[in-house]
């Protein structure tokens, strides 16, 4: 996207002059800019998808009653071929970028705050389709990973079939998961940290419905993929306090996210390609083996 278009969108809709604009490295499905005026900063998101931010605006407005640190919607609409969204700016950086700087006490406090936020969100009223089942959600994830892996051939497709067999072992648990709302896309990204504390949650484009343990599982795989420690995961699980069967489901979800990460390798989103090389392939295969060992330990309990 041209910077001139981004500046035009912002100035026309806020009546403020742009002093500086920079594109963020984050955002594989959107063009995301930090826009500075003489006194404030803002976030501008742009997409060529029709009504790209309809759901984002809906959820940010709905969640505003929960008293959680999320952006405020300032303006949204259409400009040429783009949908745009202008949001308030929240100080901080993705937790994945500052994780190595955090001490154990800070990780523990962030985990506590995150689970408190998830519990607040779980109480909001959301209607679901009568056909909704958690099994359909799980199947969708596995089928998507299967399609992507089979298309690119970087990883062994048999890993998908192994997980589908494991799914049968916890079918009774999966059948009982209800459509409880939670933020399912806060892992090493979208969770902002400033001076060692959680400062905000961004990129809320949809709401997860189902098992809160999935966001913990995705975060664990992301941390392992970045070769970082997983103490934050331990603190999240301490706050959630899963039962034996819930922990087994968590181990299952970790495996799902591992093959999901595998499926993304080599894919292109807008002008960005998810990197893939021998080192990345080996690391994800090693992570899968580690997670399988953890699943097997769960089965011994």
């Amino acid at each position: 996207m041209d910077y001139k278009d981004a500046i035009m969108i912002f100035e026309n809709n806020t009546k403020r002059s742009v002093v500086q604009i920079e594109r963020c490295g984050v955002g594989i499905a959107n063009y995301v800019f930090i826009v500075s005026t003489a006194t404030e900063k803002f976030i501008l998101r742009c997409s060529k998808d029709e009504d790209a931010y309809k759901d984002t605006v809906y959820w940010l407005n709905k969640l505003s009653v929960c008293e959680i640190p999320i952006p405020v919607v300032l303006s949204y609409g259409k400009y040429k071929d783009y949908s745009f969204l202008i949001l308030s700016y929240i100080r901080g950086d993705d937790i994945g970028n500052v994780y190595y700087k955090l001490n154990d006490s800070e990780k523990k406090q962030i985990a506590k705050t995150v689970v408190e936020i998830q519990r607040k969100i779980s109480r909001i009223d959301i209607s679901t389709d009568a056909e909704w089942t958690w099994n359909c959600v799980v199947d969708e994830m596995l089928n998507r990973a299967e399609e992507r892996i089979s298309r690119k051939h970087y990883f062994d497709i048999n890993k998908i079939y192994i997980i589908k067999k494991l799914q049968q072992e916890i079918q009774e648990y999966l059948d009982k998961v209800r459509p409880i709302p939670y933020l399912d896309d806060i892992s090493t990204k979208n969770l902002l940290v400033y001076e060692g504390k959680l400062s905000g949650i961004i990129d809320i484009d949809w709401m997860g419905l189902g098992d809160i343990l999935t966001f913990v599982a995705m975060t664990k795989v992301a941390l392992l993929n970045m070769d970082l420690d997983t103490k934050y995961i331990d603190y999240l699980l301490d706050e959630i306090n899963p039962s034996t069967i819930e922990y087994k489901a968590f181990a299952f979800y970790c495996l799902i996210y591992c093959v999901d990460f595998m499926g993304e390798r080599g894919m292109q989103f807008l002008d960005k390609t998810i990197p893939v090389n021998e080192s990345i392939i080996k690391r994800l295969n090693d992570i899968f083996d580690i997670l399988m060992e953890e699943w097997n330990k769960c089965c011994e309990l």
Side-chain angles (χ1 to χ4, degrees):
M1 182 184 186
D2 193 288
Y3 276 87
K4 290 181 180 179
D5 283 337
I7 292 171
M8 185 73 70
I9 291 171
F10 182 84
E11 293 189 337
N12 285 352
N13 288 278
T14 65
K15 309 306 178 188
R16 304 173 192 222
S17 297
V18 174
V19 173
Q20 183 179 353
I21 184 169
E22 57 181 306
R23 185 177 172 191
C24 299
V26 298
I28 59 175
N30 304 265
Y31 295 97
V32 183
F33 302 91
I34 298 176
V35 184
S36 299
T37 66
T39 57
E40 295 177 84
K41 287 185 177 182
F42 301 87
I43 295 295
L44 169 64
R45 300 177 65 190
C46 299
S47 171
K48 284 198 171 183
D49 291 344
E50 188 74 22
D51 293 326
Y53 303 115
K54 180 181 177 182
D55 290 343
T56 310
V57 171
Y58 172 81
W59 286 118
L60 287 175
N61 288 334
K62 191 169 183 69
L63 292 175
S64 62
V65 300
C66 293
E67 298 183 345
I68 60 177
I70 56 177
V72 176
V73 176
L74 302 175
S75 181
Y76 62 96
K78 293 280 292 183
Y79 176 82
K80 293 184 178 179
D81 295 333
Y82 292 98
S83 299
F84 71 85
L85 175 64
I86 301 174
L87 301 166
S88 61
Y89 175 79
I90 300 176
R91 290 189 302 181
D93 201 352
D94 282 331
I95 187 171
N97 293 337
V98 299
Y99 190 85
Y100 70 97
K101 298 179 184 178
L102 300 174
N103 59 42
D104 290 354
S105 177
E106 289 169 333
K107 292 172 187 174
K108 187 173 185 177
Q109 184 56 49
I110 292 169
K112 180 179 176 64
T113 304
V114 168
V115 174
E116 286 173 353
I117 288 171
Q118 295 283 30
R119 285 178 177 147
K120 287 181 179 180
I121 291 171
S122 72
R123 294 192 286 268
I124 65 175
D125 184 33
I126 293 181
S127 58
T128 57
D129 295 334
E131 297 82 16
W132 183 95
T133 69
W134 183 237
N135 276 295
C136 285
V137 177
V138 171
D139 288 341
E140 256 181 52
M141 290 187 65
L142 284 171
N143 291 338
R144 181 181 66 185
E146 181 178 4
E147 189 276 328
R148 289 176 172 177
I149 289 173
S150 62
R151 193 193 328 156
K152 296 292 185 180
H153 304 293
Y154 294 126
F155 297 93
D156 185 358
I157 197 67
N158 285 319
K159 288 180 168 58
I160 299 290
Y161 307 142
I162 289 171
I163 298 175
K164 286 186 175 182
K165 287 183 179 178
L166 302 184
Q167 183 178 357
Q168 299 171 15
E169 296 185 31
I170 57 168
Q171 194 62 61
E172 186 178 350
Y173 172 85
L174 299 176
D175 287 339
K176 294 177 181 177
V177 174
R178 308 296 352 125
I180 297 171
Y182 68 106
L183 296 173
D184 65 346
D185 197 28
I186 49 172
S187 56
T188 52
K189 61 183 182 66
N190 299 336
L191 195 71
L192 300 183
V193 173
Y194 182 72
E195 295 183 345
K197 297 180 181 179
L198 190 153
S199 59
I201 298 171
I202 59 172
D203 289 0
I204 303 175
D205 297 327
W206 60 80
M207 186 64 56
L209 295 173
D211 197 337
I212 188 178
L213 287 168
T214 59
F215 98 89
V216 188
M218 178 170 63
T219 308
K220 177 169 182 172
V221 176
L223 289 173
L224 290 172
N225 191 44
M226 297 172 71
D227 200 24
L228 296 169
D229 73 70
T230 57
K231 289 184 179 179
Y232 172 59
I233 303 304
D234 296 334
Y235 298 137
L236 285 171
L237 292 173
D238 285 345
E239 291 295 326
I240 295 172
N241 192 26
S243 64
T244 300
I245 185 60
E246 286 172 334
Y247 190 84
K248 190 173 182 178
F250 165 72
F252 171 72
Y253 299 144
C254 286
L255 286 163
I256 291 181
Y257 279 107
C258 186
V259 293
D260 188 57
F261 278 35
M262 290 175 176
E264 287 184 346
R265 296 299 107 185
M267 287 193 65
Q268 184 164 341
F269 299 90
L270 295 179
D271 55 351
K272 297 179 182 178
T273 300
I274 307 299
V276 59
N277 55 44
E278 289 186 9
S279 176
I280 290 172
I281 292 170
K282 182 181 184 305
R283 181 170 68 243
L284 283 170
N285 280 328
D286 288 346
I287 290 171
F288 185 89
D289 291 341
I290 290 168
L291 296 174
M292 275 302 304
E293 287 180 15
E294 293 183 4
W295 164 269
N296 291 331
K297 288 178 182 177
C298 290
C299 294
E300 295 170 0
L301 296 178

